[in-house]
Amino acid sequence: MEKELLRGLVSEEEKERFAQNGFLLMKGLLTKAEVDEIKDYFMMLHAKGPFPGFKPVSMEEAGGDLLRVYPRMINPHRADPNIIPFMIHPKIMGVLADLLDEEPLASQSMFYFKPPGAKGQALHQDNYYLKVSPGTCMAAWVSIDEADRENGGMVMVPESSQLDIICPHEADPETSFTNDEVDVPEGMSVVPVDMAAGDILFFNGSVIHGSYPNSSKDRFRRSFICHYAGYSAMKVMEDTLYTHRGEVVIREVDESAGPCGVEFDYVTNKAYY
């Protein structure tokens, strides 16, 4: 029997909140067992050592820099297809189908370790990088650990979801591990979103968002983050996408410099003007 999308996970009230704010926190969407499965798998990958796009070093080699010991994983599913089932988890794809009102396609995967002392991420908009069109991308931000203002939790700008892409300026390298930052438009404000393990934050590609630095002494803030496009999207940053059944769908890669005339390398976080 053909695998069907798990629809009906999002209430009408939640859809209205998403339509207004551009983001929706689904509390406890994943069980502890489901979160532990993702966490244990990525910790195993870290323990095994380098693979394409991921090169952790020992504490001695890193000179005490935990960000080099626990670097971010960017698109690990390209090197390890066992990650694809996490990307197309039935609950995640079901919520996305409810919010997009069409079949979602999984595009990009990331795992952030964010150890104590790690920098935050300056405010930005995802579709500046993902280049999904028509429409915009969607993110599913899975909290593997409790994430709050002390250990580097998320911040969002409500009602920024209808904005066009704002061209960024250079971020403060003392507080952000990425180079780009956008300003909060007049009349809007930043709000924190505290999360428990198993909560998932869904947001569209225009929403301005970022995260705090991890100022805790001993609390990691691990997260599994994936990006998606609606099935109707014709152009994307990644050409290979996946349906909820794991089938491969190919879309045209947007090779333009984007609305700000910038080429961006998602692995190095460097922009090329």
Side-chain angles (χ1 to χ4, degrees):
M1 186 174 179
E2 194 173 73
K3 183 179 178 183
E4 297 294 331
L5 275 166
L6 186 62
R7 301 293 292 263
L9 294 174
V10 183
S11 69
E12 290 304 314
E13 180 185 354
E14 288 170 330
K15 289 179 183 178
E16 290 175 8
R17 291 209 309 270
F18 176 79
Q20 178 178 357
N21 292 321
F23 63 90
L24 178 67
L25 177 61
M26 297 291 287
K27 297 190 69 64
L29 190 63
L30 298 189
T31 66
K32 183 179 184 302
E34 290 170 325
V35 171
D36 286 346
E37 183 182 9
I38 297 172
K39 176 176 64 180
D40 292 346
Y41 196 82
F42 280 99
M43 295 310 291
M44 177 273 294
L45 289 179
H46 179 271
K48 285 177 66 175
F51 63 83
F54 179 67
K55 297 179 180 179
V57 300
S58 69
M59 185 67 78
E60 182 179 359
E61 292 174 300
D65 183 355
L66 279 176
L67 289 177
R68 294 185 61 203
V69 180
Y70 292 98
R72 298 176 307 142
M73 292 183 180
I74 305 295
N75 286 324
H77 69 280
R78 292 181 182 172
D80 186 348
N82 291 319
I83 293 169
I84 295 172
F86 298 146
M87 299 173 68
I88 60 172
H89 190 289
K91 295 177 188 175
I92 294 175
M93 298 298 268
V95 170
L96 288 166
D98 284 345
L99 296 177
L100 289 167
D101 200 26
E102 66 173 322
E103 182 176 356
L105 297 173
S107 171
Q108 184 189 63
S109 64
M110 300 183 289
F111 193 89
Y112 287 9
F113 293 94
K114 202 162 192 181
K119 298 175 183 179
Q121 185 168 11
L123 295 174
H124 62 284
Q125 296 167 292
D126 284 348
N127 212 46
Y128 172 72
Y129 312 103
L130 274 294
K131 299 180 180 181
V132 171
S133 66
T136 187
C137 64
M138 287 281 287
W141 200 99
V142 182
S143 191
I144 302 299
D145 302 297
E146 183 178 336
D148 53 39
R149 278 156 272 195
E150 181 192 46
N151 74 335
M154 293 287 285
V155 297
M156 313 293 288
V157 178
E159 301 185 8
S160 59
S161 57
Q162 302 303 317
L163 296 174
D164 292 331
I165 294 301
I166 301 171
C167 294
H169 56 79
E170 188 173 354
D172 181 356
E174 295 297 317
T175 59
S176 174
F177 71 85
T178 51
N179 296 334
D180 298 323
E181 180 177 29
V182 301
D183 294 323
V184 179
E186 185 176 354
M188 295 184 178
S189 59
V190 175
V191 298
V193 181
D194 293 345
M195 300 173 67
D199 293 352
I200 303 182
L201 183 61
F202 294 88
F203 50 96
N204 82 15
S206 288
V207 174
I208 299 173
H209 65 285
S211 67
Y212 294 104
N214 187 341
S215 59
S216 72
K217 293 182 179 179
D218 56 6
R219 300 171 59 210
F220 272 70
R221 192 228 65 184
R222 289 165 292 193
S223 54
F224 178 57
I225 309 155
C226 294
H227 288 104
Y228 303 83
Y231 200 90
S232 60
M234 301 305 296
K235 290 186 177 183
V236 292
M237 188 184 81
E238 312 284 347
D239 62 348
T240 303
L241 300 92
Y242 301 89
T243 70
H244 69 283
R245 302 183 187 91
E247 302 159 333
V248 172
V249 173
I250 303 298
R251 290 289 186 264
E252 180 183 351
V253 174
D254 187 341
E255 297 180 343
S256 73
C260 302
V262 177
E263 297 286 355
F264 185 82
D265 185 326
Y266 218 112
V267 174
T268 63
N269 293 308
K270 291 182 178 179
Y272 300 92
Y273 295 86

